[in-house]
Every structure is written in structure tokens, then in C-alpha cells.
Amino acid sequence: MRMTFAWLCRLGLAALLGLGVAQAAPVQDWPAPGKPVMLVVGNAAGGGTDVIARVLAERLQGVLPRPVVVENKPGASGMLAAALTARSPADGQTLLVTPITLVTTPHVLPKAAGGAVDVMTDLAPVVQLSRGTLLPVTRPAQGLRDARALAARAKEQPVSYGTPGAGSPMHIAGELFRQAADVPLTHVPYKGVAPALSDLLGDHVMVVFSDLASASSYLQSGQLVAIGVTQAQRSPLLPEVPTLAEQGFRDVAFETWFGVFAPAGTPAATVAKVGQAINQVLAQPETRRRFAALGEVVVGGSPQDFATRVRADFDQFGRIVRAFGISVD
């Protein structure tokens, strides 16, 4: 599969324009007048979550009557940022911007390492920013046209797959695929997606489970090909790539997300105002275009919708982690 970056962005924008995120009225009476809004990110500057947060901060500047700043608090796979947010005043001024790892990491990381935060009771879901997909990628020279071919290859010879780390969503996806395909696969954890993809290009592993944003430049150049996506339906950003479920691996069907959380105890009216402002930003075509360039499809919606999603994913990934005995090495 070969594509251009401009094509990816145009396709993403076209898909996103039909999602119908409601245009909100201008936000009035923001809580705690005069204070800046802080978006806390559990990754270093320049990472995917940081970029998402900075797009959000920039677009919020035009909606809120105050500055919006990004505070990077890396460590413990995002749990230090979650703990910082949970301990902050519940006034809508400190918000956590996080990927789905917020609900996977607690199952694989000792609670003490994450600052003793309980993500299900210490944080309040505000809004789901976007949804994305994971995807197994490989070199064209391997001759693997789809995930079925990968499963067949694994029955003939040893196959190793790389991920950005033990206990990551990519590791979970790889283990789900291994079980669904009923083949032996060797997991090779790396410290991030970039080194995993580098080793893939160097033929040290046969496949890497990656996020779309990290793999996109390699897909565009033709250095790598995607052989499936983990979403239940095809991604509007990669419509020609079949889902793993379509290819017969029905138990490998989940999507990733980015979302915003407030400290638990934040008044419902404040959460609603925060969500209103963010939904207004998500409805802007420029925001949708920039999210699409990062491999993300805008979602938006209510705190209640997001809370339901968070609870379901937390429970689902807990069951998966326990079933496979996944832990951080």
C-alpha cells in the first residue's frame, strides 16, 4: 500500500466532516476567572500526546477568555501526570490529556509506581477527543499481503513482533492476534515505537504493532505496508486496509482514543462547561484536519458517553491482561 501524506490528510478531513460534532455556543462564565487552563500530558514534549494537547491548547485559545498552557509530566507510563491532575483543585483549570494507556497501564504497572492514583475514582471523564487504530506493519520484501499471510508464515518459521513496550496497547493487540491466529509469536518490547520501527526496517523483527501516526511516513514512502487494523470497522484514514476481524481474527477488535479528564469532584456544571469548550474546538474543520494528520478521527460528545467508554475499556483490558499474564518487565 502506497500513499501520500497530502492524500491521507484530504481523506481524513473528508471523513471527519461527516461526523456531526455539534457546534457549541461561545463559552461564557468560565470557572475560576483569570487563571490559566493547564493541560497536563504524561509524555515528553514532541510525543504524540503532547502534539494532540498542543493542537487542543492552540485552538482553545480562540474559545476561552484566558491562556491555555501544556504541562509535560512524563513518568510511570503517564501515571504521574494522572496523579498530578487528580491532586489538583477540582475547578476545571487543570485537565489531563491522555491516550488510552490511562486504562491499560494500571493493570500492568504497580500502583505505587503511578503515584497511588486510581484512574477510575480519582479522575472525571470530560470528553473523548478522538479515536484511532493500531496496525501491524511489515516490510514489502517480506511478501506478506495481509494478516492471514503473517499467520501462515508463523506456522512455518519463527516470527517475532515488536511493540513500544511490555504492557502497551500494541503488546495487548499482538497477544490478541497471537491467540486468535493460534500461532507462536515472540514479543520483542522496545522503549517506544520509533526504535521498534527502526529495527523492523533493519530486519530484526518481522512485524511491528504501531499506531498510525508513527507509521504514516513509512507507509507513505512505501518502506512499510499495513496488513490490517485493529478497529472493528475500517479506518476512514486507511479505507483500503482490511480489519483484522475481516480477515478472520474476530477477537482482535478494539480502537484507541485520546481523551480529557478533570480531577474527581469537579462540579458537573464545570465539567459541562469544559466539555462545551472542547466540543466547540473539535467541531472546527482545522482541528479535524490536524487530528487527521496525526492519524486520529475526531469524536467529541458528552462526559457521560466518555465515562461509559472508559469503564468498558478499563474492564476489557483488565480481563485481557489477566488472561495473558501481561506485565511490565
Side-chain angles (χ1 to χ4, degrees):
M1 175 195 63
R2 191 177 181 86
M3 68 186 79
T4 66
F5 187 67
W7 174 87
L8 179 62
C9 291
R10 286 197 303 271
L11 178 62
L13 179 58
L16 298 179
L17 289 176
L19 289 183
V21 176
Q23 182 74 31
V27 176
Q28 305 293 334
D29 252 356
W30 187 261
K35 292 178 62 178
V37 175
M38 183 169 67
L39 304 181
V40 184
V41 174
N43 305 89
T49 308
D50 177 71
V51 175
I52 288 282
R54 291 182 189 278
V55 170
L56 182 61
E58 176 190 322
R59 307 306 295 174
L60 278 171
Q61 293 283 172
V63 173
L64 301 181
R66 76 227 14 254
V68 182
V69 299
V70 175
E71 176 75 15
N72 297 94
K73 188 72 173 179
S77 300
M79 290 298 103
L80 292 186
L84 171 63
T85 304
R87 292 194 297 266
S88 298
D91 58 6
Q93 301 304 121
T94 303
L95 306 170
L96 177 68
V97 178
T98 178
I100 195 174
T101 51
L102 183 74
V103 297
T104 61
T105 300
H107 298 295
V108 299
L109 192 70
K111 189 171 183 179
V117 61
D118 185 330
V119 301
M120 296 306 298
T121 60
D122 297 341
L123 296 168
V126 176
V127 62
Q128 182 178 344
L129 296 174
S130 63
R131 58 184 173 88
T133 190
L134 303 180
L135 58 163
V137 295
T138 187
R139 293 177 61 242
Q142 292 289 351
L144 300 174
R145 65 192 179 280
D146 55 31
R148 289 184 292 260
L150 173 63
R153 182 74 58 85
K155 293 178 180 178
E156 300 170 351
Q157 65 183 77
V159 169
S160 58
Y161 73 94
T163 73
S168 65
M170 293 77 159
H171 182 196
I172 291 171
E175 289 302 287
L176 285 172
F177 176 75
R178 178 183 62 79
Q179 183 186 63
D182 192 24
V183 294
L185 294 174
T186 300
H187 176 228
V188 182
Y190 290 85
K191 293 183 178 180
V193 180
L197 292 173
S198 178
D199 260 16
L200 175 61
L201 293 171
D203 257 350
H204 298 292
V205 290
M206 188 176 293
V207 65
V208 164
F209 278 80
S210 173
D211 62 284
L212 177 53
S214 298
S216 62
S217 62
Y218 299 108
L219 299 176
Q220 296 152 26
S221 66
Q223 292 175 278
L224 297 177
V225 293
I227 57 175
V229 296
T230 61
Q231 286 178 303
Q233 291 82 37
R234 295 194 185 199
S235 168
L237 304 182
L238 292 175
E240 77 283 13
V241 179
T243 68
L244 293 174
E246 277 182 78
Q247 300 181 59
F249 310 109
R250 291 182 173 80
D251 291 334
V252 195
F254 71 90
E255 60 186 22
T256 59
W257 46 255
F258 283 92
V260 176
F261 292 77
T266 302
T270 300
V271 171
K273 283 189 182 296
V274 175
Q276 177 191 10
I278 295 174
N279 273 301
Q280 183 172 341
V281 164
L282 295 177
Q284 298 170 355
E286 176 64 12
T287 305
R288 296 177 176 193
R289 183 192 69 79
R290 292 174 68 176
F291 271 50
L294 297 168
E296 294 292 313
V297 175
V298 165
V299 175
S302 72
Q304 294 76 20
D305 290 341
F306 189 33
T308 299
R309 177 64 185 270
V310 169
R311 168 53 69 183
D313 284 348
F314 183 86
D315 292 344
Q316 176 191 16
F317 286 114
R319 290 191 296 270
I320 293 170
V321 166
R322 290 189 295 273
F324 291 122
I326 295 173
S327 63
V328 175
D329 297 332

